[in-house]
Amino acid sequence: MPLPRVAIIGAGIAGLTVASALRNRAEVSIIEKSRGVGGRLATRRAGDVSFDHGAQFFTARSKAFSNFLQPWLETGVVQPWNPRVLTLEVGAKPYRRDWFEPHYVGAPSMTALPKALAAVLAPKLQWEVTSVERMGDHWWLHSIDSKKTGPFDWIVATAPAPQILQWFPPQFSGMDALQQVRYAPCFALMLAYTQLPELHWDVARVKSSPIDWIVRGNSRPDQHGQQTMLLHSTHTWAHEQQNTNFDNIELTLRQALEDILNQPMPAPLLSLLHRWSYAATVQTTQLPFELDAVNSLAACGDWSAFSNADNGGARVEAAFSSANALAEQLLALPEFAA
Ligand SMILES: Cc1cc2nc3c(=O)[nH]c(=O)nc-3n(C[C@H](O)[C@H](O)[C@H](O)COP(=O)(O)OP(=O)(O)OC[C@H]3O[C@@H](n4cnc5c(N)ncnc54)[C@H](O)[C@@H]3O)c2cc1C
C-alpha cells in the first residue's frame, strides 16, 4: 500500500515533531512560510551579533520530552543554561532568583534544534499557505503567490490557532475549539553595544516595569563575547501599546532599562524591535490536539490543553507534547499502519 501523503504546515517545534514521528510511515511534506525553520524558537542575525529573540529557554518536565532531547544534549545541539538570575525593581533591593529545574537552550542559538531536526526532513521554505482545498479525494494547498501543491491525503496544521483559522476549511471539526484560543503579545528589543556596562547578573526578571525580562547575550552557551542585551516587555504592556508607534515603544523600553539599571546606557550600535503577536496563551483549547479523521485534517501546537495555566502556559515543551500526542494518535490509524 502506498504511504499516506501528509502536508505539515509550519516548521516550528510542533511541525518538526510531527514530521519526525511520521516520516517512516508517511510521505511527509513540511510547508513553512519563513526563510528558515524554528518558528518562535527564533534567532535574529545582524552583522556579527545574533539574538534569540523568541523563546528564551525550555524545560523538560515530561519523560517524552526528556527522551526527545537526550540525543541533542549528547551532541551539544541543546545545552543546559545556568545564568545568574536576579529580580530587579526600581527602588527595591535586587535579589537572587535561583532556578530549581534544568533550563536548556539551543547552541549556538535557539534555531540549532529545529535546524538539526529539519536536516532530514527537507522542508519547503518561503511557501505561505493561504488556503486548503478539497479536490476529489485529496487536499491541495494554495500559497500567497498563487502556487498550488498536492495532492495530500492528510493536512496537519501547526501554526498558532488564529492563523490556522484563516486557511483551514470550515468543515474541520476543530474549528470551534480553535476559535476559543487567545494569545497575548510581547515586544522584543535587541540591543548591541561596543561594550556592556559591568553587571553582576546574566538574566533579570523585572518587576513593576514595561520590561519583564533582560538577558545578556554573552551569558548563553557558545555566544561568548557578544556585547548584546535582549529585552522582553510584559504581555500586558505590549497589549496596551497597540496604537503606539515603534519609535516610541523603543524609547520607552530603553528608558525603562536605564531606570532599572539606575545608570545611563551608552548609545547602542544597533537597536531592533520586534513585536510577537503570539507570545503567551491567555486561553487554550480543552484537548491536547484537534483530529478530524472524517476529513483527514488535524492541528496541534502551543495553543492546546498542554499550555493551560496549570501547565505553565505556552511553552516549547507544550508544543512538543501536543505534536507528539497527535503523532501517536495518527500512527494508530489503519492508513498509517506499518
Ligand atoms: C517572546 C516569546 C518568548 C517565549 N519564551 C519562551 C520560553 O522562555 N520558554 C518556552 O518554553 N517557550 C517560550 N515561548 C513559547 C514558545 O516559543 C512556543 O510555545 C513554541 O515555540 C511554539 O511552537 P509551535 O511549533 O507550536 O509554533 P511556532 O513556533 O509558531 O511554529 C509555527 C510555524 O508555522 C509557520 N506558519 C504560520 N503560518 C503559516 C502559513 N500560512 N504557511 C506556512 N507556514 C506558516 C510559522 O512561520 C512557524 O514557523 C516564547 C514565545 C515568544 C514569542
Side-chain angles (χ1 to χ4, degrees), residues 36-57:
V37 298
R40 283 168 281 166
L41 277 173
T43 305
R44 171 81 71 93
R45 288 174 213 290
D48 293 342
V49 292
S50 63
F51 300 88
D52 290 332
H53 62 309
Q56 294 299 293
F57 56 78

Side-chain angles (χ1 to χ4, degrees), residues 247-302:
D247 288 347
N248 286 343
I249 286 171
E250 192 178 321
L251 283 177
T252 306
L253 289 174
R254 280 170 55 185
Q255 183 58 55
L257 177 65
E258 296 195 354
D259 295 344
I260 280 294
L261 300 182
N262 198 21
Q263 60 176 297
M265 290 293 285
L269 295 172
L270 181 78
S271 178
L272 299 169
L273 186 70
H274 180 86
R275 183 180 188 276
W276 291 103
S277 300
Y278 308 113
T281 41
V282 176
Q283 194 169 320
T284 67
T285 56
Q286 308 271 320
L287 298 175
F289 51 79
E290 299 297 327
L291 175 62
D292 178 346
V294 173
N295 289 304
S296 305
L297 294 169
C300 63
D302 75 342

Side-chain angles (χ1 to χ4, degrees), residues 9-15 31-34 36 38-41 53-59 127-130 158-160 163 167 186 232 276 278-279 300-302 314-317 319:
I9 307 173
I13 190 71
I31 315 289
E32 166 58 52
K33 73 174 176 184
S34 303
R40 283 168 281 166
L41 277 173
H53 62 309
Q56 294 299 293
F57 56 78
F58 37 91
T59 49
W127 213 99
E128 181 169 350
V129 174
T130 49
T158 71
Q163 295 182 317
W167 27 264
C186 165
H232 275 167
W276 291 103
Y278 308 113
C300 63
D302 75 342
R315 295 182 302 115
V316 174
E317 183 172 13

